[in-house]
């Protein structure tokens, strides 16, 4: 019996002698990454700290997207980074996730930009486009020369896009688009819109270039969330486009929903970055802020808040990483993506709220990143499928019963 237990004892001792874990990586998740994955993470981390953080608060306050950063983001290979060929970096899903995490440590607007460009504008062309469409658009989009957007939501159809009213009527060698898309990230700065519309044979994706007669955009103002991101309406009024601008490879809601699988995956990682920024800010503040004669980090109630934040961060990161590993093996299912999007956004939002309380009055200012993240995460909770919709997707998967309608 003693001999049988020896290996287990030694393993236990090894754990015992392990160095104390770092507060920002309590489960040594770094250890689970390859060298290439660490390199991507650290490159994006440095960019965000050196180039984005110094300006992001001003952009948030002004309600502007830091467009000057796009060439550097493209230079790092982050646009369509998980796609192969056509000038894309061809990195694995975990690298894409880590990049999202680091970008969102800076601001959800930065991650949104990269999500929309790579997963919602480039991915549908890559997955469902003709060879000509891929060659025309993907290399320029990877370089950031062409900015894309993704138009699915409409004023009256958000969670239920199947009811969309935007139509594409065939007319000889053209399609004529009529309708309105609402809440479209990058809409006002996009050179190319991927638009989902009802055609005679079902929902189809169309590529619409800025400047096409009948296509206009108007930006949404007075947002209190995702202020460092452009959000717009797209209007189509007898907008004639060549028939060859239709994405030939997909028909039905499966098209846009497949793109959302990619982008939701990025969100499941991205929000962990926002949570990291909030937890880190709360931890540093708690150690330096003294009340009743000692740092507030020494009070049990503050420690509890920090412990919950740290624990939820570890859980969310492990969930994202396992999802990434499954995705890289071709084994990730949309239900798993929904579960991770739902959990990780929810916990990042809880972390932001709790971190805000640790910072007291200082927590409401832009001097600290916490309220900015908290407000951003309210959008992330809603876009790409609301928390409720992802609850129902997972609920349907485990019960076999749909509760959507
Ligand atoms: P349902 O009847 O279940 O399915 C219709 C067809 O779609 C297929 N499908 C999927 N395919 C790929 N991935 C998925 N996750 C899929 N889910 C369903 C399904 O197999 C079927 O295919 P086929 O070929 O048999 O016809 O569809 P439903 O109408 O009942 O809707 C299901 C529901 C509610 C889950 C779906 O409509 C949904 O996910 N709604 C949420 C809408 C949403 O997420 N909108 C996001 C807009 S884009 C955005 O927010 C970008 S923000 C970007 C940023 O700034 O970062
Ligand atoms: P609704 O669908 O009207 O939902 C309202 C409430 O009802 C929610 O709480 C919802 O969960 C709940 N609800 C709805 N149906 C059910 C149900 N069956 N059971 C229980 N509860 C339900 N869209 C794009 O196409 N492209 C973009 O680039 C894009 N970017 C965005 C950027 C921002 C900043 C924001 C805020 C949104 C963006 N969206 C985009 C739109 C986003 O995807 C939608 O807001 C989202 O899908 C929800 O739609 P809705 O706002 O119309 O809410």
């Amino acid at each position: 019996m003693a001999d049988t237990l020896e290996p287990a004892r030694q393993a236990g001792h090894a754990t015992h002698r392990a160095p104390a874990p770092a507060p920002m990586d309590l489960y040594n998740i770094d250890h689970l990454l390859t060298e290439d994955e660490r390199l991507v993470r650290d490159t994006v981390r440095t960019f965000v700290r050196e180039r984005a953080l110094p300006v992001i608060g001003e952009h948030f306050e002004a309600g502007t997207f830091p467009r000057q950063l796009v060439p550097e983001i493209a230079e790092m290979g982050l646009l369509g980074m998980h796609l192969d060929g056509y000038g894309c970096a061809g990195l694995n899903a975990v690298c894409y996730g880590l990049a999202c995490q680091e970008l969102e440590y800076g601001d959800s607007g930065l991650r949104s930009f990269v999500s929309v460009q790579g997963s919602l504008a480039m991915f549908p062309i890559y997955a469902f486009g003709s060879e000509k469409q891929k060659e025309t658009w993907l290399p320029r989009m990877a370089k950031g020369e062409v900015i894309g957007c993704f138009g699915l939501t409409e004023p009256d159809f958000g969670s239920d896009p199947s009811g969309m009213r935007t139509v594409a009527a065939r007319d000889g060698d053209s399609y004529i688009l009529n309708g309105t898309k609402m809440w479209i990230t990058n809409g006002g700065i996009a050179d190319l819109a991927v638009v989902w519309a009802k055609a005679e044979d079902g929902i189809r994706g169309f590529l619409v270039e800025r400047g096409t007669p009948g296509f206009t955009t108007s930006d949404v103002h007075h947002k209190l969330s995702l202020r460092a991101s452009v959000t717009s309406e797209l209007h189509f009024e007898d907008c004639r486009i060549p028939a060859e601008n239709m994405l030939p490879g997909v028909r039905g809601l499966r098209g846009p929903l497949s793109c959302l699988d990619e982008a939701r995956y990025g969100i499941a990682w991205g929000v962990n970055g926002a949570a990291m920024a909030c937890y880190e800010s709360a931890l540093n503040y708690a150690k330096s802020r003294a009340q009743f004669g000692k740092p507030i980090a020494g009070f049990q109630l503050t420690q509890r808040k920090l412990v919950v934040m740290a624990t939820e961060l570890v859980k969310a990161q492990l969930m994202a990483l396992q999802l990434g590993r499954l995705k890289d093996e071709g084994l990730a299912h949309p239900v798993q993506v929904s579960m991770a999007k739902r959990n990780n956004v929810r916990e990042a939002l809880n972390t932001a709220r709790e971190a805000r309380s640790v910072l007291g009055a200082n927590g409401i200012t832009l001097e600290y990143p916490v309220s900015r993240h908290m407000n951003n995460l309210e959008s992330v909770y809603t876009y790409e499928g609301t928390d409720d919709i992802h609850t129902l997707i997972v609920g349907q998967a485990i019960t076999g019963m749909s509760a959507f309608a």
Side-chain angles (χ1 to χ4, degrees), residues 110-189:
L110 293 173
R111 197 267 312 135
S112 258
F113 176 81
V114 168
S115 289
V116 169
Q117 179 80 351
S119 288
L120 296 182
M122 294 173 73
F123 178 80
I125 298 173
Y126 178 84
F128 309 125
S130 65
E131 199 49 40
K132 185 172 170 212
Q133 289 167 343
K134 293 183 206 185
E135 280 166 11
T136 304
W137 295 112
L138 293 178
R140 292 165 67 202
M141 294 176 91
K143 284 190 195 140
E145 292 168 4
V146 168
I147 293 177
C149 69
F150 175 90
L152 179 64
T153 305
E154 299 187 356
D156 292 331
F157 297 94
S159 297
D160 180 16
S162 67
M164 69 173 67
R165 291 205 186 103
T166 301
V167 289
R170 184 74 191 242
D171 183 30
D173 286 346
S174 310
Y175 277 100
I176 300 174
L177 265 57
N178 277 290
T180 300
K181 296 291 175 181
M182 183 71 192
W183 302 111
I184 307 306
T185 301
N186 295 349
I189 56 169

Side-chain angles (χ1 to χ4, degrees), residues 242-254:
E244 64 176 18
N245 283 22
M246 186 190 73
L247 297 173
V250 76
R251 187 160 57 90
L253 214 47
R254 188 172 66 80

Side-chain angles (χ1 to χ4, degrees), residues 23-359:
M24 291 307 296
D25 185 13
L26 279 165
Y27 256 61
N28 203 359
I29 293 172
D30 185 76
H31 181 69
L32 299 176
L33 305 177
T34 65
E35 232 171 87
D36 284 351
E37 289 162 355
R38 280 191 214 114
L39 181 66
V40 168
R41 180 199 61 192
D42 294 344
T43 304
V44 183
R45 185 170 285 185
T46 303
F47 161 77
V48 167
R49 279 158 173 74
E50 292 180 0
R51 305 286 297 136
L53 285 183
V55 299
I56 201 67
E58 289 163 32
H59 278 284
F60 187 91
E61 195 154 36
T64 52
F65 172 66
R67 195 169 176 170
Q68 71 280 10
L69 298 177
V70 171
E72 289 170 77
I73 292 174
E75 186 65 30
M76 286 185 288
L78 303 189
L79 303 179
M81 65 189 285
H82 60 314
L83 309 180
D84 265 324
Y86 306 98
C88 301
L91 291 167
N92 71 7
V94 171
C95 286
Y96 173 47
L98 287 163
C100 288
Q101 172 186 282
E102 296 307 317
L103 289 167
E104 201 149 353
Y105 176 96
D107 194 88
S108 300
L110 293 173
R111 197 267 312 135
S112 258
F113 176 81
V114 168
S115 289
V116 169
Q117 179 80 351
S119 288
L120 296 182
M122 294 173 73
F123 178 80
I125 298 173
Y126 178 84
F128 309 125
S130 65
E131 199 49 40
K132 185 172 170 212
Q133 289 167 343
K134 293 183 206 185
E135 280 166 11
T136 304
W137 295 112
L138 293 178
R140 292 165 67 202
M141 294 176 91
K143 284 190 195 140
E145 292 168 4
V146 168
I147 293 177
C149 69
F150 175 90
L152 179 64
T153 305
E154 299 187 356
D156 292 331
F157 297 94
S159 297
D160 180 16
S162 67
M164 69 173 67
R165 291 205 186 103
T166 301
V167 289
R170 184 74 191 242
D171 183 30
D173 286 346
S174 310
Y175 277 100
I176 300 174
L177 265 57
N178 277 290
T180 300
K181 296 291 175 181
M182 183 71 192
W183 302 111
I184 307 306
T185 301
N186 295 349
I189 56 169
D191 305 290
L192 185 71
V194 176
V195 181
W196 300 93
K198 274 189 178 151
E200 267 174 16
D201 58 351
I203 293 171
R204 290 284 197 169
F206 297 90
L207 304 180
V208 186
E209 292 184 55
R210 172 166 298 281
T212 306
F215 171 38
T216 53
T217 64
S218 50
D219 291 346
V220 178
H221 295 291
H222 311 297
K223 287 182 297 172
L224 299 175
S225 175
L226 271 172
R227 289 184 55 74
S229 171
V230 175
T231 314
S232 319
E233 276 189 52
L234 314 180
H235 311 279
F236 302 94
E237 208 181 323
D238 293 331
C239 173
R240 184 181 287 272
I241 57 167
E244 64 176 18
N245 283 22
M246 186 190 73
L247 297 173
V250 76
R251 187 160 57 90
L253 214 47
R254 188 172 66 80
L257 291 178
S258 307
C259 306
L260 290 173
D261 292 336
E262 299 297 303
R264 290 167 176 172
Y265 166 76
I267 290 177
W269 279 89
V271 291
N272 297 340
M276 279 161 73
C278 293
Y279 160 58
E280 183 178 58
S281 193
L283 180 58
N284 291 338
Y285 189 87
K287 288 198 286 192
S288 62
R289 173 75 175 170
Q291 288 293 291
F292 300 98
K294 70 173 189 179
I296 61 171
F299 297 126
Q300 291 177 358
L301 291 176
T302 309
Q303 290 189 4
R304 183 179 183 283
K305 291 178 189 177
L306 294 167
V307 168
V308 171
M309 288 180 216
T311 308
E312 293 306 329
L313 177 60
V314 166
K315 286 155 70 178
Q317 287 179 319
L318 288 172
M319 200 168 192
L321 181 58
Q322 169 64 357
L323 184 61
R325 295 283 178 236
L326 289 173
K327 196 162 161 51
D328 279 327
E329 286 183 54
L331 295 175
H333 189 278
V335 168
Q336 293 160 333
V337 176
S338 284
M339 186 182 262
K341 193 273 183 184
R342 176 185 180 277
N343 180 76
N344 294 4
V345 177
R346 187 178 264 254
E347 292 309 331
L349 193 49
N350 286 338
T351 290
R353 289 173 179 153
E354 204 67 300
R356 215 289 306 149
S357 90
V358 171
L359 268 69

